[in-house]
Amino acid sequence: MVSKQNNSLETLLKLQLASVGIVLAILILALLFAYDMSVLIIVSVFALLLPIYCILATKFYQRLVSPFYRMTNMVEAIRLEDYSLQAKSGFSSGIIHQLFQESGRLRDELQNRKSRYDENMFLIYRLIEQLNTPIVVFNEKFQLSHANASFSEFFGQPWESVKGQNCISLGFRHTNNNQWQFSDQENQAQWQLRHSQFKDHDQRYHLVIMTDIAKVLRHTQEVSWQQIIRVLSHEIRNSLTPIGSLTQTLVEEIELGRESLSAPALHALRTVAERSTVLQDFVKQYRHLGQTLALNKSVISVETLLHNIPPLFPDATIIIEPFAPGLQVYADNTLLQQVIINLVKNAIEASSSGSIVHLSFQQEQRRSIIQIVDNGTGIVNPDNLFVPFYSTKSDGQGIGLAFSRNIIEQHGGALTLKNRRDQKGAKAVIELFNTPAFN
């Protein structure tokens, strides 16, 4: 009997062939002795038949076993995701031929699945790179494997330069209950981390998505404002249109002499008509406050961009801080200039007579920063700066800052206003990302 440790097809075949050889040898001996052959003839017959049997048995053994070796090589290649190997059974029909046919179909199916999987993984990574929210991928050892441009902007340098670093050194922390957190409390308060896991080439990866909580809340507020504005605009316009039309008709009738009215009454009537028109224009501006803009982006010279600002305010002192020559930004020239003009105008109005407004530009890695700094009274209520209808000016409409931030955010940037820490006054900061110098 064959032991369990050596219970293989090869061993069984060898034993079977040896058994057949022994049986044949006994039968041949019996026949030779039955015909009373001499010992010399018997030895000669065995000397002739034994090599022939050994050759035939070996060929039979190889013929039967070799397809399984080829099948083993193909299965191993499939396990290693190498689908280039094609094996033939050596038989044109039968069970072994069917086995190789089915294995070939399995190889083709797995190859198609791998191709689809690779395409899906490629699309996933491409999608990660295109999204505006910061996304980072860590491997099983919690080392940075991949990220997108938004994460580079958040981190302040290209993610490729820190690839392979541990998540702790990048400010992330993976807890025992499979949660992700920021090590820094300020980031933890501002950002929400969502995570999931996926496998790629037998390795497990951690996908971490960063969501700016303040931005989400602001978007929700803006949607609410827009809904309120639409309702108010509709109702106000429905009332103002007939009022303005009737008032204008009365004014024209009086001017033509068809109707008589005292001078004060006529002046009051004209005032109603004028204010109706102004109020309709005011409502119209708010209707377009949060709409998507058609940006006409181009490469802009920073020197030209900034040096065009001071001549617009001849009565103010505007100092442009030195910056490196030849710098450029990629933005809509008209809209970006309008934002800077709005912010400089606010800075001048917030400053006392003779005050100085500083205008500066700097470029860091993947972002360009424009700062407008004044030494005025500062921001009284920073929480309401970008709220529509809110203004600290007696004649303000509360449109300028909200519209300016909308322009910058549609550029993929950010606009922030805050009081200066070192001394009195405020500072407006425009951040533009993905400038041509770093694309």
Side-chain angles (χ1 to χ4, degrees):
M1 295 179 63
V2 181
S3 65
K4 291 184 179 180
Q5 295 181 350
N6 198 22
N7 186 14
S8 64
L9 176 64
E10 294 92 328
T11 303
L12 290 174
L13 283 175
K14 291 176 181 178
L15 290 176
Q16 292 296 330
L17 291 173
S19 300
V20 171
I22 293 171
V23 171
L24 289 176
I26 293 174
L27 291 175
I28 291 172
L29 280 174
L31 290 172
L32 292 175
F33 279 113
Y35 287 98
D36 197 20
M37 297 289 183
S38 64
V39 175
L40 179 60
I41 294 175
I42 294 173
V43 172
S44 299
V45 170
F46 268 94
L48 178 63
L49 294 179
L50 181 62
I52 295 175
Y53 175 78
C54 290
I55 293 172
L56 293 175
T58 301
K59 287 185 176 182
F60 175 79
Y61 173 83
Q62 292 177 347
R63 175 73 168 169
L64 191 59
V65 173
S66 59
F68 293 98
Y69 281 104
R70 290 195 293 269
M71 176 62 69
T72 302
N73 293 334
M74 187 171 73
V75 172
E76 183 181 13
I78 292 175
R79 180 178 61 83
L80 298 175
E81 296 186 349
D82 177 12
Y83 304 105
S84 60
L85 183 62
Q86 295 183 1
K88 295 183 178 181
S89 66
F91 297 93
S92 59
S93 60
I95 188 62
I96 294 180
H97 175 73
Q98 293 180 16
L99 175 63
F100 273 79
Q101 291 280 27
E102 291 301 322
S103 300
R105 295 189 185 98
L106 175 63
R107 181 202 63 226
D108 295 339
E109 176 63 24
L110 292 176
Q111 184 177 15
N112 291 333
R113 290 185 182 182
K114 183 178 183 299
S115 298
R116 290 195 297 269
Y117 177 81
D118 290 341
E119 290 175 359
N120 291 336
M121 291 306 302
F122 175 77
L123 291 175
I124 288 174
Y125 281 108
R126 288 289 296 170
L127 179 61
I128 289 173
E129 293 168 0
Q130 296 298 321
L131 292 177
N132 292 327
T133 186
I135 299 177
V136 59
V137 179
F138 295 102
N139 60 19
E140 291 179 337
K141 298 180 180 179
F142 302 108
Q143 297 170 328
L144 177 61
S145 174
H146 194 81
N148 60 359
S150 295
F151 176 78
S152 299
E153 296 161 7
F154 164 80
F155 197 69
Q157 65 185 81
W159 70 267
E160 294 88 351
S161 63
V162 291
K163 183 178 181 180
Q165 290 193 16
N166 189 272
C167 63
I168 297 177
S169 64
L170 300 177
F172 294 89
R173 185 162 55 91
H174 183 259
T175 63
N176 293 330
N177 57 350
N178 199 28
Q179 298 294 320
W180 284 86
Q181 297 176 352
F182 274 109
S183 303
D184 182 74
Q185 292 299 322
E186 183 177 349
N187 285 333
Q188 183 66 20
Q190 180 181 354
W191 297 88
Q192 179 188 31
L193 297 182
R194 293 177 295 169
H195 76 282
S196 61
Q197 297 182 4
F198 67 93
K199 292 187 68 176
D200 185 17
H201 295 94
D202 294 331
Q203 291 193 28
R204 187 172 296 277
Y205 290 88
H206 302 269
L207 177 70
V208 181
I209 303 174
M210 301 168 53
T211 304
D212 190 341
I213 300 175
K215 192 172 183 179
V216 173
L217 291 176
R218 188 168 71 245
H219 175 71
T220 304
Q221 290 175 342
E222 289 175 351
V223 171
S224 300
W225 293 335
Q226 290 301 315
Q227 291 175 344
I228 295 173
I229 289 170
R230 280 195 293 269
V231 174
L232 291 177
S233 299
H234 178 74
E235 296 300 326
I236 292 173
R237 290 181 68 196
N238 284 348
S239 300
L240 286 178
T241 301
I243 291 174
S245 177
L246 291 172
T247 305
Q248 187 63 35
T249 300
L250 287 174
V251 170
E252 292 174 355
E253 291 290 326
I254 293 169
E255 290 177 343
L256 292 173
R258 298 172 183 171
E259 299 286 346
S260 61
L261 200 65
S262 64
L266 179 60
H267 176 72
L269 201 58
R270 286 174 176 167
T271 301
V272 171
E274 179 184 345
R275 295 311 300 172
S276 296
T277 303
V278 171
L279 189 55
Q280 287 191 66
D281 291 339
F282 170 76
V283 172
K284 185 178 179 181
Q285 290 183 65
Y286 269 104
R287 288 182 62 205
H288 299 286
L289 182 61
Q291 290 185 356
T292 302
L293 303 172
L295 301 180
N296 183 22
K297 290 186 177 182
S298 62
V299 177
I300 307 170
S301 167
V302 174
E303 184 176 0
T304 303
L305 176 69
L306 298 187
H307 283 84
N308 284 341
I309 303 301
L312 300 176
F313 304 95
D315 298 331
T317 303
I318 301 175
I319 296 179
I320 300 177
E321 302 291 342
F323 55 87
L327 294 179
Q328 298 175 326
V329 292
Y330 187 63
D332 187 301
N333 185 34
T334 302
L335 293 177
L336 181 58
Q337 280 202 33
Q338 186 60 51
V339 171
I340 297 174
I341 291 171
N342 289 344
L343 296 175
V344 170
K345 181 174 179 292
N346 287 344
I348 294 172
E349 292 174 350
S351 303
S352 58
S353 179
S355 298
I356 300 174
V357 175
H358 293 265
L359 189 59
S360 65
F361 180 90
Q362 63 186 85
Q363 214 163 51
E364 298 177 352
Q365 296 293 337
R366 293 176 180 263
R367 63 177 180 169
S368 299
I369 303 173
I370 302 172
Q371 296 191 52
I372 298 95
V373 182
D374 65 66
N375 56 356
T377 57
I379 303 171
V380 179
N381 191 349
D383 294 334
N384 294 328
L385 277 176
F386 298 100
V387 176
F389 305 115
Y390 176 83
S391 177
T392 57
K393 305 174 187 177
S394 58
D395 59 344
Q397 297 178 345
I399 296 177
L401 288 179
F403 186 64
S404 296
R405 186 174 67 176
N406 183 38
I407 291 174
I408 298 303
E409 288 186 347
Q410 291 198 38
H411 275 81
L415 171 61
T416 56
L417 280 86
K418 53 188 175 182
N419 288 319
R420 299 170 64 184
R421 295 182 179 179
D422 52 349
Q423 50 187 307
K424 67 177 183 177
K427 177 170 64 175
V429 181
I430 300 172
E431 292 181 276
L432 296 174
F433 303 107
N434 296 327
T435 55
F438 298 98
N439 278 348

